[in-house]
Amino acid sequence: MSVMGLAFAVVATRGLEAQSAPPAPAAPTPPPGPALVVINERCSTCHSTASVFNQRRSADDWAATVQLMVDRGADLTPDDMTMVIGYLATNFGPEPAKPAAK
């Protein structure tokens, strides 16, 4: 096989690998509410809301994350922060533990 033929085979194989990769899971649909409006308006200026809604965190972890975003420039009042943290902790808290297999 020639060098060109080998190069084509490698490139073609790489293309097939990329095509067969499973798609990323879609972000869950967030429930409506005032906090969702704030998240859509203020958080999406720097990143997608899907990146927020694909995460599962404890209330303390959400509080730390929201504080970090405010420290980086997110325009949230203290009341906004409380509302957003509560919304995220309620709707995107840790996954319930799965029962152990028998």
Side-chain angles (χ1 to χ4, degrees), residues 31-53:
L36 179 60
V37 173
V38 171
I39 292 167
N40 285 334
E41 288 177 355
R42 310 236 181 96
C43 302
S44 65
T45 59
C46 293
H47 52 77
S48 74
T49 55
S51 67
V52 175
F53 302 134

Side-chain angles (χ1 to χ4, degrees), residues 16-101:
L16 290 175
E17 289 171 1
Q19 291 175 5
S20 62
T29 302
L36 179 60
V37 173
V38 171
I39 292 167
N40 285 334
E41 288 177 355
R42 310 236 181 96
C43 302
S44 65
T45 59
C46 293
H47 52 77
S48 74
T49 55
S51 67
V52 175
F53 302 134
N54 275 327
Q55 299 180 48
R56 296 296 209 157
R57 297 178 182 221
S58 69
D60 288 343
D61 289 340
W62 278 121
T65 300
V66 170
Q67 183 62 57
L68 178 64
M69 297 300 108
V70 168
D71 293 345
R72 291 181 175 179
D75 183 22
L76 296 173
T77 67
D79 288 342
D80 290 339
M81 290 175 64
T82 300
M83 179 176 52
V84 166
I85 292 164
Y87 176 87
L88 293 171
T90 299
N91 297 295
F92 300 97
E95 292 279 346
K98 294 181 181 174

